[in-house]
Amino acid sequence: MKWKEQILNLKAYQPGKSIDEVKKMFNLEKITKLASNENPFGCSPVVNQMLQSYQPLRSLYPDGYAAKLREATAEFLNVSERQLIFGNGSDEIIQIISRALLKPGVNTIMPAPSFPQYRHNAIIEGAEIREVPLVDGAHDLSSMLAQIDEATAVVWLCSPNNPSGKYINEQGLVGFLNKVPDDILVVLDEAYYEYVVADDYYDSLELVKKHENLLVLRTFSKIYGLASFRVGYGFGQENLVQTLEPVREPFNTNVLGQAAAAAAIQDQDFVHACKEENRKGLEQFYQFCREHNLTYFPSQGNFILIDFNRDGDEVFQFLLSEGYIVRSGQALGYPTCVRVTVGSAEQNNGVIESMKKLWNA
């Protein structure tokens, strides 16, 4: 086979252990998954109600234009429908961007550690990867600017960043965007945008109006609680999005996903309630960390990265035996940490009590 050489040592995505797998492994009846930054409160009741009566024609392809979802999202954001692109999760839009712009002979710049799909897709396309280390969990924007040259095609930003939870403030982002050449695409990944409470967070909708090379990514998988439906979207200036559109697969978002997302975006009361509960949940973890003198990053997402000063895999395995699935920092660039999704108050208390057992062992 005439494989691309760069994929021969590339590892496929390794999903975390499933709930059923952990139940069998440790003979446990109850498992709490706090590993993938899903919404512990599920999705809006509006979505559940809609799905009970929704009867799509199973023999027909989904709407390739995603017209109803497009209309609902455009109205919510107050943008033109032609400024939107939809994907099978925002992961697919990252793939579309990479396919459209990355190739041998060009480079792409990204923070590290961050969402691994930026790097993964760049490898597949054969582009040079320039990773700029985070500073105390935050983007080093000045160093990222210094990496830009005539061969740069895409710059990736993740705010709030996964896995650190740190965000880029308005002053920093505006200054950065003003210095990036207009022929370089800046992708601003806002998967956790709806959880942000920082006063100096920027307004990306306003920034898109001023920068024709800015594309913002968001998702219905996180606060909207629709991870299983796989719907993400991006927005930018019309010319940018319409140039990207032909790279998208014709029927890339499914019928149920489109319908569920269109319903979910109507219920912003649910979104705000989840945001408030997430803030309370983060405070539970902050208090635990302060009590035990553990280092952590204050988070603007729905997760927290905690440094236990020991092998992250060891912490992961212990919590797994207690019935809690988290993410080891070994795979996230923080080998002595674990990343924990913020759950309900009860779930948070439970995993914290298990952490205390480990700490006192």
Side-chain angles (χ1 to χ4, degrees), residues 130-151:
R130 297 182 177 180
E131 293 182 304
V132 178
L134 301 175
V135 176
D136 192 27
H139 288 62
D140 184 350
L141 294 176
S142 60
S143 293
M144 293 183 78
L145 282 171
Q147 288 290 324
I148 293 176
D149 60 25
E150 292 183 355

Side-chain angles (χ1 to χ4, degrees), residues 110 207 253 261 269:
M110 62 195 69
L207 291 175
T253 54
D269 288 342

Side-chain angles (χ1 to χ4, degrees), residues 73-207:
T73 307
E75 182 179 355
F76 175 68
L77 297 177
N78 193 27
V79 299
S80 163
E81 291 184 10
R82 288 175 60 83
Q83 289 182 255
L84 294 168
I85 185 169
F86 292 92
N88 182 33
S90 55
D91 308 58
E92 190 197 19
I93 305 178
I94 293 169
Q95 185 182 57
I96 290 170
I97 293 165
S98 301
R99 188 177 184 187
L101 288 160
L102 300 183
K103 59 185 178 181
V106 306
N107 67 69
T108 180
I109 299 165
M110 62 195 69
S114 192
F115 188 51
Q117 291 305 301
Y118 314 144
R119 188 177 195 278
H120 185 89
N121 282 285
I123 291 173
I124 293 172
E125 301 302 332
E128 177 193 348
I129 298 166
R130 297 182 177 180
E131 293 182 304
V132 178
L134 301 175
V135 176
D136 192 27
H139 288 62
D140 184 350
L141 294 176
S142 60
S143 293
M144 293 183 78
L145 282 171
Q147 288 290 324
I148 293 176
D149 60 25
E150 292 183 355
T152 302
V154 183
V155 178
W156 306 89
L157 305 175
C158 187
S159 178
N161 186 55
N162 177 15
S164 66
K166 290 286 193 78
Y167 70 104
I168 304 171
N169 64 29
E170 181 177 20
Q171 181 180 4
L173 182 57
V174 169
F176 180 84
L177 292 173
N178 287 337
K179 295 176 181 177
V180 176
D182 291 341
D183 63 345
I184 296 173
L185 178 65
V186 177
V187 182
L188 180 57
D189 189 342
E190 292 187 335
Y192 302 95
Y193 156 79
E194 292 87 358
Y195 287 107
V196 175
V197 298
D199 293 334
D200 57 348
Y201 197 66
Y202 52 83
D203 184 343
S204 55
L205 284 162
E206 289 299 315
L207 291 175

Side-chain angles (χ1 to χ4, degrees), residues 2 343 351:
K2 299 177 183 179
V351 73

Side-chain angles (χ1 to χ4, degrees), residues 319-332:
L319 294 178
L320 202 62
S321 70
E322 291 277 306
Y324 293 95
I325 309 174
V326 299
R327 280 297 300 275
S328 169
Q330 285 283 3
L332 303 174

